[in-house]
């Protein structure tokens, strides 16, 4: 929310986003602007810090769990905000400038960390965010804010210390590569017994996922600007348990379940982050996958081949898991409701 900020893709491509903000930005984010993307809630903190108030419609996005906003609200209230829910909007106000505080997150939420971080950089005094998320995307936003003049210590750790500043200045920033997209290409290569080089990806951001692919029988080699994945045989089944970063990413769970569906052996997939992130199980079963659910754990018995069938996409990662399952299946797979993928 600062004038003439430009965000560049980290691969050096010409596509960029230039953000020019009027002297007095609007503090409202209507439902039409936020209904498709859960991360839209991330305008709450910076709007409040910049404008003194923020009216943000409760966001939409993937229906993969409750993902309540309690930590966002409680953290902003610790910084001096008043937050209420009214007619489908979160309305946040502050009587004076936000002030520093000690904030403990019950869970290392990426969204709550980002919201509180962006509010704290313009607060008066020092804010300490404990149990903060450590994802590469958090590190990236910290680096960008530092380039803009923010004072943040502990970047990459679970404790972020922010000394508030009066203002930030424009910057040009190259965004971190999308590790989940890179990992999805890697799984697709393994499932189709292919040979794929993912350029400009950071292998160290996907270390556990890539190690699992090696366990499945793939060859994974770092290159000068990414990594290469090769597979020449049917993959072996691999167990996974999703955890906050640096653990196995929940956003790779559906892709690995598709891999296990055609793997040699039996595997378990345990989802500890979101309670409703197994909606793709039923759709994979339509392709012939053998999956049994027991609470937060799925047991997958690999089959020799999946068979093409009409399926329905339920969320973003579930959608792409069906795409790569379709690539490995015999016959035609028709995927419906792909607006999730269109995002």
């Amino acid at each position: 929310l600062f004038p003439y900020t430009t965000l560049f893709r980290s691969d050096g491509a010409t596509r960029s986003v230039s953000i020019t903000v009027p002297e007095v930005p609007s503090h409202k984010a209507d439902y039409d602007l936020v209904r498709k993307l859960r991360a839209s809630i991330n305008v709450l903190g910076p709007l409040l810090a910049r404008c003194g108030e923020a009216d943000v419609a409760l966001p939409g996005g993937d229906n993969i769990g409750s993902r309540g906003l309690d930590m966002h609200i409680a953290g902003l209230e610790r910084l001096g905000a008043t937050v209420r829910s009214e007619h489908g909007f979160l309305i946040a106000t502050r009587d004076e400038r936000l002030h520093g505080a000690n904030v403990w997150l019950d869970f290392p939420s990426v969204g709550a960390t980002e919201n509180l971080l962006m509010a704290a950089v313009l607060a008066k005094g020092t804010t300490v965010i404990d149990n903060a998320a450590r994802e590469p995307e958090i590190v990236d936003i910290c680096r960008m804010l530092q380039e803009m003049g923010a004072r943040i210590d502990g970047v990459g750790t679970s404790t972020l210390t922010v000394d508030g500043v009066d203002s930030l200045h424009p910057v040009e920033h190259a965004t971190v590569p999308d590790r989940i997209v890179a990992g999805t290409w890697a799984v697709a290569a393994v499932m189709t017994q292919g040979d794929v080089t993912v350029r400009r990806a950071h292998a160290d951001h996907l270390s556990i996922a890539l190690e699992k692919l090696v366990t499945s029988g793939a060859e994974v080699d770092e290159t000068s600007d990414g990594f290469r994945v090769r597979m020449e045989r049917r993959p072996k089944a691999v167990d996974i348990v999703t955890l906050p970063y640096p653990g196995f990413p929940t956003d790779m769970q559906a892709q690995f379940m598709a891999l296990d569906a055609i793997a040699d052996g039996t595997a378990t997939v345990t989802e500890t982050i979101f309670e409703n992130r197994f909606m793709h199980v039923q759709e994979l079963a339509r392709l012939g996958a053998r999956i049994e659910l027991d609470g937060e754990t799925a047991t997958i018995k690999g089959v020799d081949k999946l068979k093409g069938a009409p399926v329905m996409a339920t969320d973003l990662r579930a959608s792409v898991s069906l795409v790569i399952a379709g690539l490995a299946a015999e016959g035609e797979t028709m995927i419906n409701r792909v607006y999730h993928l269109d995002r």
Side-chain angles (χ1 to χ4, degrees):
L1 296 174
F2 302 93
Y4 310 113
T5 291
T6 300
L7 307 180
F8 291 102
R9 288 178 12 150
S10 58
D11 59 6
T14 57
R15 283 191 291 173
S16 63
V17 176
S18 296
I19 303 169
T20 304
V21 181
E23 185 175 346
V24 182
S26 170
H27 66 277
K28 294 185 178 181
D30 290 328
Y31 180 66
D32 284 345
L33 296 174
V34 307
R35 63 188 177 88
K36 291 186 177 181
L37 189 64
R38 182 73 177 186
S40 299
I41 195 62
N42 282 2
V43 302
L44 183 65
L47 279 178
L48 177 63
R50 175 71 181 264
C51 304
E53 55 185 332
D55 296 2
V56 180
L58 293 170
D62 293 333
N63 183 24
I64 59 177
S66 59
R67 297 203 291 184
L69 301 175
D70 292 353
M71 286 184 288
H72 300 248
I73 295 170
L76 291 174
E77 288 177 339
R78 292 281 294 172
L79 298 179
T82 299
V83 186
R84 69 183 189 275
S85 179
E86 189 175 286
H87 303 299
F89 278 76
L90 277 183
I91 300 175
T93 59
R94 58 174 173 84
D95 293 331
E96 300 177 351
R97 182 178 173 185
L98 295 175
H99 57 73
N102 293 330
V103 179
W104 169 267
L105 299 180
D106 293 333
F107 177 84
S109 161
V110 171
T113 300
E114 291 169 336
N115 240 339
L116 297 177
L117 178 67
M118 289 186 286
V121 293
L122 290 179
K124 182 179 180 180
T126 300
T127 299
V128 178
I129 305 173
D130 274 318
N131 201 28
R134 294 184 285 164
E135 275 77 357
E137 295 76 23
I138 296 293
V139 174
D140 190 46
I141 197 170
C142 285
R143 298 299 185 208
M144 178 178 172
L145 289 168
Q146 287 174 326
E147 293 165 10
M148 301 175 84
R151 299 168 62 187
I152 307 169
D153 289 327
V155 176
T157 75
S158 59
T159 301
L160 295 173
T161 301
V162 183
D163 291 319
V165 296
D166 292 333
S167 63
L168 301 178
H169 56 74
V171 70
E172 293 185 353
H173 179 78
T175 59
V176 67
D178 191 319
R179 61 195 167 97
I180 304 303
V181 172
T184 301
W185 284 110
V187 174
V190 172
M191 289 185 63
T192 57
Q193 298 182 27
D195 183 347
V196 172
T197 298
V198 185
R199 298 181 58 202
R200 304 182 181 95
H202 291 179
D204 58 319
H205 292 171
L206 283 165
S207 55
I208 294 181
L210 295 180
E211 287 173 10
K212 290 291 184 180
L213 293 183
V214 172
T215 301
S216 77
E219 294 183 41
V220 180
D221 300 297
E222 287 196 52
T223 64
S224 59
D225 68 341
F227 57 83
R228 180 183 180 187
V229 180
R230 289 171 287 178
M231 191 64 164
E232 297 180 350
R233 56 189 178 277
R234 182 184 179 189
K236 297 177 183 178
V238 290
D239 299 330
I240 65 169
V241 178
T242 65
L243 291 168
Y245 190 86
F248 189 94
T250 179
D251 281 344
M252 289 297 300
Q253 178 255 104
Q255 297 91 312
F256 269 79
M257 189 178 290
L259 184 153
D260 280 331
I262 62 166
D264 180 13
T266 300
T268 59
V269 173
T270 302
E271 174 60 55
T272 72
I273 308 298
F274 295 115
E275 75 275 10
N276 198 27
R277 203 159 200 179
F278 279 152
M279 290 188 291
H280 48 280
V281 168
Q282 182 176 347
E283 301 307 306
L284 287 171
R286 291 177 59 81
L287 299 175
R290 299 171 61 193
I291 307 173
E292 295 181 0
L293 287 180
D294 183 11
E296 63 183 16
T297 299
T299 301
I300 306 102
K301 297 179 180 179
V303 298
D304 291 335
K305 273 289 184 181
L306 297 175
K307 307 287 186 179
V311 293
M312 183 174 65
T314 54
D315 63 70
L316 180 58
R317 309 306 174 183
S319 301
V320 79
S321 75
L322 297 175
V323 171
I324 58 179
L327 289 175
E330 289 182 345
E332 181 179 89
T333 299
M334 178 71 71
I335 302 170
N336 298 292
R337 280 203 346 183
V338 294
Y339 63 83
H340 295 286
L341 278 175
D342 291 339
R343 282 167 35 202

